[in-house]
Amino acid sequence: MSTVNRETPRPAAGRAGIKKELPDHFKDYRHVWVFIELERGHVHSVSFELLGEGRKLADKLEVQLAGVVLGPPGEAIGNAIAEAFAYGADIVYIVEAPLLADYRNEPYTKAMTDLVATHKPEILLLGATTLGRDLAGSVATTLQTGLTADCTELDVDTDGSLAATRPTFGGSLLCTIYTLNYRPQMATVRPRVMPMPQRADKPVGRVIQHKLSITEDEIVTKVLGFLPDSQSATANLAYADVVVAGGLGLGAAENLQLVKNLARAIGAEYGCSRPLVQKGWVSADRQIGQTGKTIRPKLYIAAGISGAIQHRVGVEGADLIVAINADPNAPIFDFAHLGIVTDAIRFLPALTEAFTRRLSPHNRDKLAS
C-alpha cells in the first residue's frame, strides 16, 4: 500500500491571492469625497490640499469630486462651501446643525456615516489632524471599512482601487495598502504632504443638504467651554518658507544652538530629526518627519541628519534641500538637491557668519522670495 502526500495549495502571494470582486451591495459606490475640516469658523488648509489630490483621483476614475462640510448654521459654513468649489469640488454635501458648533465625535460620526450610507462614495479622504484622525477612525469602525492613516501618496490602481502609500516598520519602508472588498476606501493625509492646488473663483455649484439625526440627549460628551492652546503658535514649521534642522551629527545638545543661530540669521524656523526629540534635546513640536511635522519650505537646510525614510517623507516636498553631513554615504544625499560633505559643527558657524555679513535685517525676510 502506497501513501501519497498531498500538500495543501498555498494561496497566491500578494494581491493575486485576494478576491478582487466587490460584493454586490458595494458596486454602486462611486465618486471621491473630501472632508472639509471646519472648526471654530476656519477651514483647515489640509482640506484644500486634499481637494487637489482628490481631483486627480476623480479624474482618473471619471467620477465627481465632492466636498463634505459639517458645521453650525452661519456665515462660516457658507464660506467653507464656496472655498470647496473654488478648490475644485464638483458638488458639496452639508450637514448643518447647532449640535455641530464644537467638534464632538458622536454627532460628527453620525453625520458622516449617515451621509456615506445615503450617497455611497467609493473614496473618502480626511486630513490627519487631531480632529481628522479622531473622526476617521470612528467613521471607519462604524462603517466596518478599511482606513489607511498618514499617507504620503495616493493613486488609483488599474482595477480602480485606491492605492494608499505610507511608511511602515518605524519609517524604514514604504508600503502601498488597498481596501479591495469594502467601501468607502478611506485614507488620511497629514497637512503639507500634498501641494496646495490653484484656487479659482467660480460660482457655487450643487449643494446637497442632509439632516443630522441625533439629539443632544443622545450625546455623552458635553462642551463646557473652549480654552485655546497657548503653545499652539510656538513652532510654525509646517508653513515656514525656510527651515534649518539638526540631527545626531551635531553630537551634543548644546550644539543645537548652532542650528538656532543660523535660523535666526536667515529668518528661518528651526527643527530637528526624531532622535533629538527622543534624547530630550528638543521639544516634540520641533520634530520633522513622518512622526513629526511635514514641511514644504522653499529652502530646507539639514545639518547632521542621516535622512532615513521617516524623515525623507516629511521634507521631500521642499523646493531646495541642502544637506550637510560628514558621512558621504548618508541617505540624505540621495534626495538632497545640494550636498555638502563636512562636519556640520564646524561648517554651521562659518555659514551663519557668511549669511550675517551678506544679509541686512531688511533682506533676511526676502531670502525665500
Side-chain angles (χ1 to χ4, degrees), residues 261-325:
N261 292 343
L262 176 57
R264 189 181 304 112
I266 61 178
E269 283 279 358
Y270 77 90
C272 68
S273 59
R274 182 169 63 180
L276 269 62
V277 173
Q278 293 172 332
K279 284 180 172 289
W281 295 2
V282 190
S283 60
D285 64 331
R286 295 283 177 180
Q287 181 182 329
I288 298 170
Q290 172 66 14
T291 53
K293 300 288 178 62
T294 299
I295 61 175
R296 300 183 72 89
K298 297 178 181 177
L299 171 62
Y300 174 53
I301 301 175
I305 295 176
S306 63
I309 286 181
Q310 79 87 22
H311 187 78
R312 176 175 183 166
V313 298
V315 305
E316 58 187 355
D319 292 345
L320 177 63
I321 300 175
V322 178
I324 306 165
N325 201 296

Side-chain angles (χ1 to χ4, degrees), residues 70 95 99-100 102-114 131 134-136 138-139 142 212-223:
L70 312 179
V95 179
L99 292 184
L100 301 175
D102 294 284
Y103 174 74
R104 289 180 287 176
N105 182 272
E106 292 159 288
Y108 269 68
T109 298
K110 180 63 174 172
M112 183 66 81
T113 53
D114 282 356
L131 188 159
D134 185 69
L135 179 61
S138 60
V139 169
T142 303
L212 181 63
S213 59
I214 190 172
T215 64
E216 182 64 48
D217 292 339
E218 299 174 86
I219 304 171
V220 175
T221 53
K222 308 298 179 184
V223 178

Side-chain angles (χ1 to χ4, degrees), residues 264-267 355-369:
R264 189 181 304 112
I266 61 178
F355 272 123
T356 302
R357 287 200 310 264
R358 189 172 183 85
L359 294 177
S360 67
H362 175 71
N363 289 331
R364 288 173 199 172
D365 293 336
K366 298 181 178 180
L367 180 65
S369 62

Side-chain angles (χ1 to χ4, degrees), residues 52-271:
E53 199 65 19
R55 177 79 273 162
K56 300 174 188 175
L57 300 177
D59 289 347
K60 288 182 179 181
L61 292 168
E62 298 182 345
V63 297
Q64 288 186 322
L65 172 65
V68 180
V69 183
L70 312 179
E75 183 181 355
I77 199 167
N79 292 337
I81 293 169
E83 288 301 294
F85 283 111
Y87 280 99
D90 300 311
I91 187 172
V92 172
Y93 297 91
I94 70 167
V95 179
E96 190 175 18
L99 292 184
L100 301 175
D102 294 284
Y103 174 74
R104 289 180 287 176
N105 182 272
E106 292 159 288
Y108 269 68
T109 298
K110 180 63 174 172
M112 183 66 81
T113 53
D114 282 356
L115 272 173
V116 169
T118 302
H119 299 284
K120 301 180 179 180
E122 57 186 311
I123 293 173
L124 174 57
L125 307 178
L126 302 91
T129 60
T130 302
L131 188 159
R133 284 187 172 115
D134 185 69
L135 179 61
S138 60
V139 169
T141 301
T142 303
L143 296 174
Q144 297 185 334
T145 189
L147 167 64
T148 307
D150 292 346
C151 299
T152 57
E153 183 180 350
L154 299 172
D155 204 351
V156 175
D157 206 11
T158 53
D159 62 359
S161 299
L162 176 66
T165 301
R166 71 178 309 276
T168 188
F169 291 107
S172 60
L173 293 173
L174 290 173
C175 66
T176 299
I177 299 172
Y178 299 85
T179 303
L180 297 177
N181 300 98
Y182 300 92
R183 293 294 183 269
Q185 303 161 95
M186 292 181 60
T188 63
V189 180
R190 297 168 63 204
R192 303 293 279 171
V193 168
M194 304 301 180
M196 181 68 73
Q198 190 72 31
R199 185 186 184 281
D201 286 319
K202 63 179 184 179
V204 171
R206 186 183 176 201
V207 177
I208 297 178
Q209 293 189 332
H210 190 90
K211 186 177 179 180
L212 181 63
S213 59
I214 190 172
T215 64
E216 182 64 48
D217 292 339
E218 299 174 86
I219 304 171
V220 175
T221 53
K222 308 298 179 184
V223 178
L224 302 180
F226 175 75
L227 296 175
D229 183 2
S230 60
Q231 303 298 316
S232 61
T234 54
N236 194 30
L237 284 169
Y239 299 95
D241 285 331
V242 184
V243 177
V244 183
L248 278 179
L250 295 177
E254 56 267 24
N255 290 330
L256 187 68
Q257 188 61 44
L258 302 176
V259 170
K260 296 179 181 179
N261 292 343
L262 176 57
R264 189 181 304 112
I266 61 178
E269 283 279 358
Y270 77 90

Side-chain angles (χ1 to χ4, degrees), residues 2-51:
S2 62
T3 301
V4 178
N5 292 323
R6 290 188 175 91
E7 292 185 0
T8 302
R10 294 182 179 181
R15 293 189 60 194
I18 302 175
K19 183 174 179 291
K20 298 182 184 180
E21 186 69 20
L22 268 179
D24 289 339
H25 63 282
F26 285 137
K27 289 183 178 179
D28 55 348
Y29 279 61
R30 298 184 71 241
H31 308 304
V32 177
W33 283 16
V34 172
F35 171 59
I36 309 300
E37 185 175 322
L38 174 65
E39 188 174 26
R40 310 201 73 79
H42 300 284
V43 176
H44 198 295
S45 60
V46 71
S47 305
F48 305 138
E49 295 165 7
L50 288 178
L51 282 171

